[in-house]
Amino acid sequence: MKNLKYLFIISLFIIVSCSSDDDGPNNTRVTNFLNNLVDQMQANSMNRKTIDWDNFRTQVLNAAADAQTFDETDEAVILALRLLGENSSFIEKEDGTFLAATPSICSLSNISPVTSVPDGIGYVRVNGFRGTTAEAVAFAENMHEDIRSQDNQNINGWIVDLRDNLGGNMFAMIAGIGPILGEGTAGFFIDADDNMQAWSYEDGASRLDQGRVIVVPNPYELINPNAKVAVLINNGVASGAEAVAISFIGRANTRSFGSGTCGIAADNARFSLLGGSTLFLAVESMADRNKVLYGSISITPDTSTTDENVLQTAIDYINN
């Protein structure tokens, strides 16, 4: 989305889709609805340049050959979402129910809380956040205070724990973890035409291009800004949290540990459809500071390990 790119995790449902060999729907309202859906996807999808849209449209219309109502197009809509080739897009129907391309692809591990780490190591848990701008500022301020309370001359490194963070407002999280992330461009949004917008952290603020998004009034600066950082990830890291994980890729003295993320690192825009449904369409892929695209690709850790062993592995990295 072109407003502040607040990225929210999608609750994906287990859905079965199928197609038909018929000649398409014989109901004009249904045909118009499906054409409207495909038109929006063709014009705006981040994958629009890699799709055969004539074949795409034919498959979707054929899948709704017997549909007489909008509700009876669900299988065709799910097929369209699958044909996009990514897992980020979804539909919210007028009744508040959702349609998505795949079963849930993000699995939570119910990790145990980290209650202590060895001396010389700072630990910051990054939780997902959804709320108002004022609440986002308070969220980021609290993270700065947590970092401030731990920082001292003897800190050798920091553990940034993103595990089971299903996302939310990425800019609140980036503003909060900014003292450890460091200043400068941390990632990009890139669309199918290679148009890009950079996100960054600078002087207590998360930024989108030149605009400040979430601003911490009295930001903290690390005593040792070049200390090692270990980023913990797993399959429960999604959407806005994946943006935070991407932000650390390419940072000096930094490695990630755990297992691959959910793989919905895209920016969704909202499009109204005929009949009252809303399409949340992935229009831009997230990319790291070196412009490596992720989109529907799971972020693979530098060191793979289980949730049970990941903390100790990160500690060993920092201490050695």
Side-chain angles (χ1 to χ4, degrees):
M1 344 174 165
K2 297 298 183 186
N3 43 18
L4 296 178
K5 300 214 186 283
Y6 285 4
L7 301 177
F8 295 92
I9 177 60
I10 304 158
S11 297
L12 300 175
F13 297 88
I14 298 176
I15 305 163
V16 177
S17 73
C18 61
S19 61
S20 169
D21 293 328
D22 292 342
D23 295 327
N26 53 24
N27 182 295
T28 300
R29 293 179 70 244
V30 165
T31 302
N32 290 343
F33 165 71
L34 292 175
N35 277 322
N36 177 221
L37 172 66
V38 176
D39 287 345
Q40 297 285 19
M41 291 175 168
Q42 183 173 356
N44 300 290
S45 169
M46 68 180 187
N47 291 338
R48 62 183 180 271
K49 291 193 172 181
T50 63
I51 294 172
D52 179 345
W53 288 103
D54 288 339
N55 181 56
F56 186 109
R57 191 180 302 270
T58 297
Q59 289 191 61
V60 172
L61 292 174
N62 286 350
D66 298 324
Q68 298 297 314
T69 67
F70 292 139
D71 283 341
E72 291 174 352
T73 66
D74 285 1
E75 290 180 351
V77 169
I78 294 165
L79 175 61
L81 292 167
R82 286 182 174 172
L83 292 173
L84 287 173
E86 41 87 355
N87 296 313
S88 296
S89 299
F90 66 104
I91 297 279
E92 182 177 7
K93 297 174 66 175
E94 191 175 22
D95 63 5
T97 59
F98 293 86
L99 300 176
T102 62
S104 178
I105 56 175
C106 307
S107 58
L108 300 179
S109 300
N110 297 315
I111 59 175
S112 300
V114 175
T115 55
S116 65
V117 293
D119 291 342
I121 296 178
Y123 172 87
V124 179
R125 169 73 185 163
V126 183
N127 295 310
F129 172 79
R130 297 166 182 81
T132 66
T133 299
E135 291 167 339
V137 171
F139 171 88
E141 280 186 302
N142 287 337
M143 290 185 66
H144 278 236
E145 288 306 310
D146 184 19
I147 294 167
R148 188 194 307 269
S149 69
Q150 298 181 64
D151 196 20
N152 60 67
Q153 294 282 358
N154 298 318
I155 291 290
N156 298 315
W158 293 85
I159 295 173
V160 176
D161 193 349
L162 287 167
R163 292 175 298 165
D164 286 356
N165 181 337
L166 290 175
N169 181 341
M170 61 173 277
F171 289 101
M173 291 182 265
I174 289 172
I177 203 64
I180 297 174
L181 175 62
E183 299 203 347
T185 297
F188 294 89
F189 295 103
I190 303 178
D191 69 12
D193 296 317
D194 291 329
N195 297 313
M196 61 186 68
Q197 292 179 293
W199 76 73
S200 61
Y201 175 79
E202 182 179 341
D203 193 25
S206 54
R207 302 175 69 98
L208 182 61
D209 281 343
Q210 300 305 310
R212 300 201 299 174
V213 184
I214 301 300
V215 182
V216 176
N218 297 298
Y220 183 67
E221 295 182 11
L222 289 185
I223 294 172
N224 177 11
N226 299 314
K228 283 185 176 181
V229 175
V231 181
L232 311 187
I233 58 175
N234 65 6
N235 191 242
V237 176
S239 190
E242 287 180 291
V244 180
I246 288 169
S247 296
F248 279 94
I249 296 174
R251 180 193 180 276
N253 297 323
T254 303
R255 289 185 65 83
S256 57
F257 300 84
S259 55
T261 64
C262 189
I264 51 175
D267 173 37
N268 283 28
R270 179 195 302 249
F271 299 93
S272 297
L273 300 173
L274 298 176
S277 295
T278 302
L279 168 64
F280 291 83
L281 181 67
V283 296
E284 295 172 315
S285 174
M286 295 182 195
D288 63 28
R289 64 187 70 195
N290 295 314
K291 300 178 183 175
V292 176
L293 295 170
Y294 291 89
S296 296
I297 300 173
S298 173
I299 300 165
T300 303
D302 296 310
T303 300
S304 295
T305 185
T306 64
D307 278 319
E308 291 75 17
N309 296 325
V310 68
L311 183 63
Q312 187 59 52
T313 305
I315 290 169
D316 291 343
Y317 159 70
I318 292 173
N319 285 335
N320 295 315

